[in-house]
């Protein structure tokens, strides 16, 4: 098998029994757009911006029900306290590198101000993980132009994954990490619903796929063992299920729980956050809590697969004297096949 980068399902790694949306991506939730700006100079800059843009935010509707869950708050999630307090999202969600988060937030603020002349208060929501292992993070290269490009180029097509945007310089579970996405479709309260997830993976632990450990020291014995600093994970969950902010908080918690399925260590320095929001029209009542279980299952499976996609799609990257190696697909297939975990591939 050649080592061309691909998604988990392309290798027969199928997470759970639920169906995916058309693209198996967060953009399967109607109105959700994703854009990237990638900065990679081939040397010591490997970083960027990823924007999740709900097109429902606009004239006539400037907020969506939302919640944030901090699995471990060792991070800089700008704007999170107001989401906690008011239960609403009022901006695109941006992801970037740690020391650029404040520049990204200022650029996003300018974007919001341009859209709403005369408004006197805004809450840009910007998250980060630390890509300083591979990228010269102290240069803080993110500019307003990079942020606006990610937002304005955002589309509903399948988002690029792996070493793009905010995932350009990240590492996870001993391998090269990045951006990943996935989706699930379910029926809840007698109506169809879609749940989509997008992740920025940059955390420690032992890669695990379908319950099978895939340690880097066994798959790549000569790999760089230097631990990347500030291990973290950002998770964005979007759904068209009618949920209120309290229920979305329950979804966000389960999104962080799903990290455990892929072997996360949840270390001291890991800033693990999930942001969940609903695009449902405001005139729809939330579903009863007793009928929410299919949405919980969809979140867990979509996040797990998004995390695997973020690694399987990433490519080996070197910077600042370190190298993060791509997950070797052949070795993964051999181990999962031996364990009887692979699905038949077309």
């Amino acid at each position: 098998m050649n080592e061309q980068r691909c998604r988990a399902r392309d290798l027969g790694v199928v997470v759970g029994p639920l169906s995916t949306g058309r693209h198996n991506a967060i953009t399967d939730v109607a109105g959700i757009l994703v854009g990237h700006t990638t900065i990679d100079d081939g040397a010591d800059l490997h970083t960027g911006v990823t924007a999740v843009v709900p097109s429902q935010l606009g004239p006539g509707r400037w907020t969506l029900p939302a919640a944030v869950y901090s699995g471990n708050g060792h991070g800089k999630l700008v704007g999170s306290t107001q989401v906690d307090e008011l239960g609403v999202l009022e901006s695109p969600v941006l992801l970037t590198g740690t020391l650029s988060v404040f520049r990204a937030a200022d650029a996003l603020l300018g974007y919001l101000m341009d859209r709403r002349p005369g408004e006197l208060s805004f809450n840009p929501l910007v998250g980060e993980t630390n890509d300083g292992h591979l990228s010269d993070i102290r240069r803080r290269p993110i500019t307003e132009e990079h942020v606006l490009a990610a937002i304005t180029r955002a589309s509903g097509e399948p988002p690029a994954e792996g070493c793009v945007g905010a995932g350009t310089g990240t590492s996870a579970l001993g391998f090269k990490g990045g951006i990943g996405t996935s989706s699930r479709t379910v029926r809840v309260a007698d109506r169809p619903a879609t749940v989509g997830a997008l992740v920025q993976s940059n955390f420690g632990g032992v890669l695990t796929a379908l319950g099978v450990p895939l340690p880097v020291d066994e798959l790549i014995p000569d790999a760089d063992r230097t631990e990347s600093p500030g291990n973290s994970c950002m998770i964005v969950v979007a759904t068209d299920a009618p949920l209120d902010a309290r229920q979305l908080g329950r979804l966000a918690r389960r999104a962080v729980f799903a990290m455990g399925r892929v072997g996360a260590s949840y270390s001291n320095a890991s800033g693990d956050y999930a942001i969940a929001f609903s695009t449902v029209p405001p005139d729809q009542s939330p579903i009863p809590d007793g009928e929410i279980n299919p949405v919980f299952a969809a979140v867990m499976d979509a996040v797990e697969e998004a995390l695997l996609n973020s690694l399987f799609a990433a490519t080996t990257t070197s910077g600042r004297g370190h190298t993060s190696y791509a997950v070797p697909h052949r070795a993964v297939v051999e181990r999962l096949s031996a364990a009887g975990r692979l699905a038949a591939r077309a």
Side-chain angles (χ1 to χ4, degrees):
M1 178 181 302
N2 67 48
E3 292 293 287
Q4 182 178 357
R5 308 317 292 168
C6 61
R7 309 185 82 192
R9 287 183 180 240
D10 297 327
L11 300 178
V13 181
V14 177
V15 176
L18 298 176
S19 297
T20 72
R22 177 186 175 191
H23 300 307
N24 190 16
I26 195 171
T27 51
D28 290 326
V29 180
I32 301 303
L33 314 177
V34 174
H36 302 295
T37 298
T38 299
I39 301 171
D40 190 334
D41 67 356
D44 290 335
L45 273 183
H46 307 280
T47 190
V49 179
T50 294
V52 178
V53 184
S55 62
Q56 290 83 359
L57 289 175
R61 190 179 188 193
W62 293 109
T63 64
L64 298 175
V68 168
Y69 176 64
S70 173
N72 188 53
H74 202 295
K76 293 85 183 162
L77 180 51
V78 173
S80 64
T81 57
Q82 184 167 308
V83 177
D84 283 338
E85 186 71 20
L86 302 183
V88 296
L89 174 72
E90 59 182 63
S91 81
V93 180
L94 296 187
L95 306 176
T96 189
T98 299
L99 297 188
S100 291
V101 68
F102 308 105
R103 291 185 172 178
D106 185 67
L108 180 54
L109 174 61
Y111 167 81
L112 296 173
M113 292 175 67
D114 286 344
R115 298 191 79 202
R116 302 180 68 183
E119 187 67 34
L120 300 180
S121 179
F122 303 88
N123 188 48
L125 190 63
V126 183
E128 52 77 28
T129 72
N130 194 312
D131 54 19
H133 187 62
L134 297 174
S135 188
D136 187 357
I137 196 169
R138 291 178 61 88
R139 287 170 64 178
R140 296 184 294 163
I142 301 301
T143 67
E144 181 179 28
E145 288 73 20
H146 294 133
V147 170
L148 294 180
I151 295 172
T152 59
R153 294 174 189 166
S155 80
E157 295 301 310
E161 296 175 288
C163 303
V164 294
T168 304
T170 64
S171 302
L173 301 166
F175 297 95
K176 181 66 183 73
I179 296 294
T181 187
S182 185
S183 70
R184 295 294 185 275
T185 59
V186 294
R187 289 198 66 83
V188 57
D190 296 321
R191 57 159 283 173
T194 301
V195 175
L198 182 141
V199 303
Q200 178 192 21
S201 63
N202 192 54
F203 57 95
V206 176
L207 174 61
T208 302
L210 305 181
V212 178
L214 303 166
V216 64
D217 58 353
E218 295 180 8
L219 269 60
I220 309 178
D222 297 328
D224 182 354
R225 293 293 179 274
T226 306
E227 183 74 8
S228 56
N231 291 329
S232 301
C233 187
M234 291 296 309
I235 306 169
V236 182
V237 175
T239 184
D240 57 11
L243 302 173
D244 61 23
R246 178 187 60 82
Q247 293 171 320
L248 289 163
R250 303 182 74 195
L251 261 63
R253 288 193 289 277
R254 283 156 178 82
V256 173
F257 299 163
M259 292 172 59
R261 291 184 175 183
V262 299
S265 59
Y266 298 107
S267 66
N268 169 66
S270 193
D272 304 319
Y273 297 93
I275 301 152
F277 64 90
S278 173
T279 62
V280 67
D283 59 350
Q284 292 192 27
S285 299
I287 63 174
D289 283 346
E291 299 185 44
I292 203 172
N293 282 345
V295 186
F296 286 166
V299 169
M300 294 285 286
D301 286 356
V303 172
E304 179 181 357
E305 188 164 338
L307 289 167
L308 293 176
N309 284 337
S310 75
L311 276 81
F312 290 2
T315 55
T316 298
T317 302
S318 297
R320 300 192 64 245
H322 305 131
T323 298
S324 287
Y325 291 91
V327 173
H329 292 168
R330 185 189 304 274
V332 169
V333 168
E334 290 174 351
R335 290 210 172 194
L336 295 186
S337 180
R341 303 297 172 86
L342 291 184
R345 286 179 285 150

